[in-house]
Amino acid sequence: MKVHAAFQPAALTQIEPEGWLRAYLERQRHGLTGHLEVAGYPFNAPTWGQPNFSSQGNEHWWPYEQAGYWIDGLVRCGALLRDPFLLNKAQGPIDYVLKHADKDGYLGPKGIKKPENQNRWAHLVFFRALIALHSFTGDARIVKALQRHYLSNTSPHSFHREVANVEVILWTYEQTGDKRLLKHAEEAYAAFNELPIDEAVPRMLSRKPIYVHGVTFNELCKLGALMYKYTGNRRFLRATENAFRKVEANSMLIDGVHSSSERLRGRDPLDSHETCDIADHTWAVGHLLEITGKTEYADKIERACFNAAPGAVTADFKALQYFSCPNQVVAHDTSNHNLFHRGAPWMAYRPNPGVECCAGNVHRTMPNYAARMWLHTPDGGVAAALYGPSRMTFRPKGAKHDVTIVEETGYPFVEEIAFRIQSPDPVRFPLTLRVPGWCRAAELSINGVRQSRRLKAGGFFTLTRTFEPNDRVVLTLPMELKLSHWPKGGVGIERGPLVFALPVEEQRRAKQIKGRSSKEFPAYEMRPASPWNYALAVDERDLDGVEVVQGPLSGNPWTPETAPVELLVPARRVAGWKTLKRKRIQREHNVPGALRIDWFEGGFEFTPDLPEPETLGKRLTKDVETIRLVPYGCTNLRISVFPNAVR
């Protein structure tokens, strides 16, 4: 079988996160990832572990989707940490499903097997957990069970989100070589592409903007690239890449994830995204990285995982947002400023923020990042595709023993990444490294000797040599300050893969919501306790006025107090720029088969939009202050898109 891909994924047994990355996953383990039952239904229900589980409500597939996300996160986080507690928690429902297949091979809940109730979208979500477990244990039952399930003729897997199963069908085809599976995937995708929707190939190839549901976009638009991987049909790949380019141009936010509340929106400072989208966007773009070998996709994954991901959760990983935004100075029960369910508590940090998909999906993001840091190359070597402290163990082509590469770094907070070779004997293999697109002056040294090789920004390069035990390869990626420009006159400040934000001190009130939080895992109301109404007084042509302060790297660098790097930036306050308090609002909400906008009354408080650029000059204070910015992911309340005081 020919697979059209620049890289192949590594097994979860080969990668071990270290340093700050391991500490992050350990906080997941001790936080919500290991204890999501505290968030209530459906995480305290049997779902996949019971054949005829009866869901609450009419949408029978929902609890299986949400629990499936969590189980996938449990497996991946548990495998990377080698943690029996997490793995055992996931093993129960997985074993149950595998042991209780129907006679025809169908796996999973009986309620969504029937034609009138079918929604096989939930199967994709759960089956990714099976694939992850296979990557870690090699459990032979998994491949056989998936093969029988998809050949059971119980669904065409072609109606809208059900077609996402093509991802797992193709994986199963690669494991088995069974061409019936490839045929099933091709037929399902062909039928899907007859639908008049933005996620179908003809619309993806068009210039028409995409404004569908955010998660649906990521899960369905990536399928063209996956079909190309196994068929070689370049039209499919072009469609996927074009779709992602359109969304990048129309909807991408400063934190690295497109807006989606819940459908794709614009790029304004108050546009937001679901926390689900962080996990699903980086997962989809990861496939594009593996298939195309383009560094731009690795850059996008890093930006999202180093900014949006930690910025949507509390530092202890015990609460998350449903909607997360580049600018948010309030996060409480009425602060959702998005039109969709405006005034709801969906921007508050809670174990269960009100819509359970994000409470399940949040566990996948950083484990998936760690799992894709190292990839296999066709020449028998490995590629360091995403950077962070870790170790990779593999056997080079033709070698008689395993080699471990230890990646020693505080990246993305520092510029230097060291790779130390652990091997009992000299061994020859190709080591591929990435130079991000933002880095114009990368440097390479081997055992302390600087190499004259020119390293092109936005490209991979390969070192093929006989490595001696304890050889040390050091890649230095100088990070330059940059101003980025956003709608409504907004500006942001970036350095390497990190976006910087003003951390707004929080007046926190912890509370318990019956069945959805606890004393140890509280829900929070957060209000600002420090000034935040600043405009940046930075000249884009001369950023010398911005001071970069490097500090020590702690076990948890993702707090305002422990941020390993900060910027001291000149700024001026904006008079009259304050939170919006309203008693009557318009809200977009769901009604059967449609969306509707109605008026709602109550006491609401929202983060305000940027001041009008035309009147900004008259509202600026004369005094220039120095404000402290920290990495976006260190903040809960923040401003990351500022008014521009210099024009």
Side-chain angles (χ1 to χ4, degrees):
M1 163 192 319
K2 184 174 182 180
V3 175
H4 303 267
F7 303 119
Q8 287 294 319
L12 290 173
T13 52
Q14 296 180 289
I15 299 172
E16 292 185 67
E18 297 192 331
W20 73 259
L21 182 55
R22 182 177 185 86
Y24 191 102
L25 298 181
E26 287 174 344
R27 286 193 299 279
Q28 285 198 206
R29 186 259 191 226
H30 295 289
L32 286 172
T33 303
H35 304 89
L36 196 57
E37 299 90 348
V38 73
Y41 180 82
F43 309 110
N44 59 358
T47 58
W48 291 95
Q50 183 175 315
N52 294 306
F53 168 70
S54 178
S55 65
Q56 299 177 2
N58 297 320
E59 296 287 352
H60 298 287
W61 56 272
W62 277 10
Y64 297 102
E65 172 206 32
Q66 295 154 358
Y69 284 137
W70 178 34
I71 295 166
D72 185 31
L74 281 171
V75 174
R76 294 175 194 273
C77 192
L80 290 161
L81 292 176
R82 316 299 195 252
D83 185 270
F85 171 73
L86 296 179
L87 290 167
N88 288 340
K89 208 160 198 172
Q91 191 78 52
I94 290 174
D95 280 345
Y96 187 92
V97 169
L98 292 175
K99 291 176 181 177
H100 291 83
D102 286 0
K103 290 182 179 180
D104 57 15
Y106 171 84
L107 299 171
K110 306 297 185 286
I112 56 177
K113 182 180 182 181
K114 300 175 182 178
E116 63 270 23
N117 292 329
Q118 255 185 34
N119 194 315
R120 300 294 180 88
W121 155 252
H123 281 86
L124 159 77
V125 174
F126 178 72
F127 286 169
R128 283 196 289 229
L130 273 65
I131 292 173
L133 188 64
H134 181 269
S135 176
F136 188 63
T137 66
D139 188 338
R141 297 178 302 164
I142 290 171
V143 174
K144 293 178 181 178
L146 291 176
Q147 182 181 24
R148 290 191 68 223
H149 172 85
Y150 283 116
L151 295 177
S152 65
N153 295 318
T154 56
S155 172
H157 296 107
S158 59
F159 181 70
H160 205 214
R161 288 214 297 190
E162 287 186 27
V163 78
N165 281 273
V166 163
E167 176 184 338
V168 182
I169 297 169
L170 291 173
W171 179 87
T172 310
Y173 164 62
E174 184 173 3
Q175 306 307 307
T176 63
D178 188 334
K179 292 186 177 180
R180 293 175 297 172
L181 291 165
L182 178 60
K183 181 181 178 183
H184 183 35
E186 290 177 320
E187 290 175 347
Y189 198 52
F192 169 77
N193 283 321
E194 295 296 322
L195 299 175
I197 57 177
D198 287 348
E199 308 95 294
V201 165
R203 295 274 188 96
M204 286 199 290
L205 284 168
S206 75
R207 294 182 179 179
K208 183 179 182 294
I210 298 177
Y211 290 111
V212 299
H213 182 266
V215 167
T216 303
F217 158 74
N218 287 301
E219 294 287 12
L220 302 192
C221 287
K222 75 173 187 297
L223 295 179
L226 289 171
M227 288 297 297
Y228 160 76
K229 179 178 180 180
Y230 295 99
T231 68
N233 187 332
R234 287 195 170 273
R235 181 171 179 265
F236 292 155
L237 177 60
R238 288 198 306 272
T240 291
E241 291 201 277
N242 193 56
F244 277 81
R245 278 193 295 268
K246 290 192 290 186
V247 169
E248 175 91 17
N250 297 325
S251 301
M252 190 56 63
L253 302 180
I254 193 172
D255 65 0
V257 176
H258 55 75
S259 62
S260 175
S261 57
E262 289 184 338
R263 60 186 175 87
L264 298 168
R265 308 274 181 168
R267 304 173 69 242
D268 287 359
L270 290 186
D271 279 320
S272 309
H273 51 66
E274 294 177 58
T275 298
C276 270
D277 288 302
I278 308 172
D280 289 318
H281 183 66
T282 51
W283 177 254
V285 174
H287 282 299
L288 283 168
L289 167 62
E290 292 176 4
I291 291 165
T292 69
K294 295 179 180 178
T295 60
E296 65 181 271
Y297 295 120
D299 294 351
K300 294 179 194 303
I301 295 168
E302 287 191 350
R303 188 177 180 103
C305 289
F306 294 155
N307 296 288
V313 298
T314 53
D316 57 8
F317 213 86
K318 290 186 176 182
L320 69 142
Q321 297 178 284
Y322 179 65
F323 288 148
S324 190
C325 186
N327 285 2
Q328 50 186 41
V329 298
V330 287
H332 57 61
D333 288 357
T334 70
S335 71
N336 175 29
H337 58 250
N338 298 281
L339 180 61
F340 190 69
H341 284 257
R342 178 174 288 163
W346 289 2
M347 296 189 79
Y349 288 84
R350 296 177 167 186
N352 186 331
V355 184
E356 288 77 8
C357 55
C358 291
N361 214 345
V362 68
H363 313 284
R364 301 174 58 236
T365 305
M366 209 60 84
N368 282 336
Y369 180 88
R372 276 180 166 143
M373 292 171 68
W374 291 94
L375 300 171
H376 290 289
T377 56
D379 54 14
V382 290
L386 306 170
Y387 292 132
S390 63
R391 58 178 59 217
M392 166 66 167
T393 300
F394 74 109
R395 181 161 296 186
K397 184 177 180 180
K400 296 180 180 179
H401 53 74
D402 288 347
V403 172
T404 296
I405 304 175
V406 182
E407 185 175 354
E408 301 167 330
T409 184
Y411 185 90
F413 307 106
V414 302
E415 299 175 334
E416 184 176 287
I417 306 168
F419 301 91
R420 184 163 46 87
I421 310 301
Q422 292 184 342
S423 172
D425 301 300
V427 59
R428 186 174 182 82
F429 66 88
L431 172 62
T432 297
L433 304 178
R434 166 180 140 259
V435 179
W438 49 258
C439 184
R440 298 188 299 176
E443 297 179 0
L444 180 72
S445 68
I446 301 176
N447 297 328
V449 179
R450 183 176 174 180
Q451 306 297 297
S452 59
R453 180 173 185 168
R454 183 176 177 273
L455 304 179
K456 181 182 177 182
F460 284 101
F461 69 94
T462 301
L463 292 173
T464 301
R465 57 181 276 132
T466 299
F467 290 94
E468 299 288 336
N470 292 314
D471 269 359
R472 194 167 187 264
V473 177
V474 176
L475 178 65
T476 303
L477 302 173
M479 300 178 184
E480 299 179 3
L481 291 170
K482 171 189 171 184
L483 285 189
S484 56
H485 294 269
W486 300 90
K488 301 193 174 181
V491 292
I493 190 162
E494 306 167 13
R495 183 173 179 265
L498 294 177
V499 173
F500 283 78
L502 175 71
V504 181
E505 292 180 18
E506 304 156 11
Q507 178 187 347
R508 284 193 180 192
R509 185 172 82 89
K511 63 180 184 180
Q512 295 182 44
I513 300 173
K514 186 176 180 181
R516 291 194 168 197
S517 66
S518 69
K519 184 177 180 180
E520 186 180 354
F521 292 82
Y524 292 105
E525 292 186 356
M526 299 183 189
R527 291 176 169 82
S530 64
W532 52 265
N533 55 332
Y534 289 100
L536 292 189
V538 177
D539 191 332
E540 185 170 21
R541 296 161 295 183
D542 182 10
L543 297 179
D544 289 344
V546 178
E547 182 182 356
V548 180
V549 180
Q550 198 78 45
L553 183 63
S554 69
N556 183 3
W558 299 105
T559 75
E561 297 76 23
T562 60
V565 60
E566 59 186 45
L567 305 181
L568 301 180
V569 183
R572 297 165 66 183
R573 291 202 198 186
V574 181
W577 191 28
K578 56 186 179 181
T579 60
L580 301 177
K581 295 184 179 180
R582 298 287 186 267
K583 292 185 178 180
R584 193 165 185 258
I585 61 169
Q586 282 189 302
R587 173 187 294 177
E588 180 183 87
H589 60 107
N590 292 311
V591 295
L595 293 172
R596 189 172 72 197
I597 296 179
D598 287 330
W599 287 95
F600 285 78
E601 295 186 356
F604 306 99
E605 184 180 22
F606 305 124
T607 299
D609 212 338
L610 294 186
E612 293 291 337
E614 294 76 16
T615 60
L616 177 63
K618 298 178 181 179
R619 299 171 62 183
L620 295 172
T621 59
K622 293 182 179 179
D623 294 337
V624 176
E625 303 178 43
T626 298
I627 61 173
R628 171 180 175 263
L629 306 186
V630 299
Y632 182 109
C634 298
T635 65
N636 294 140
L637 301 184
R638 57 180 164 263
I639 296 289
S640 66
V641 178
F642 296 82
N644 186 1
V646 177
R647 292 185 176 278

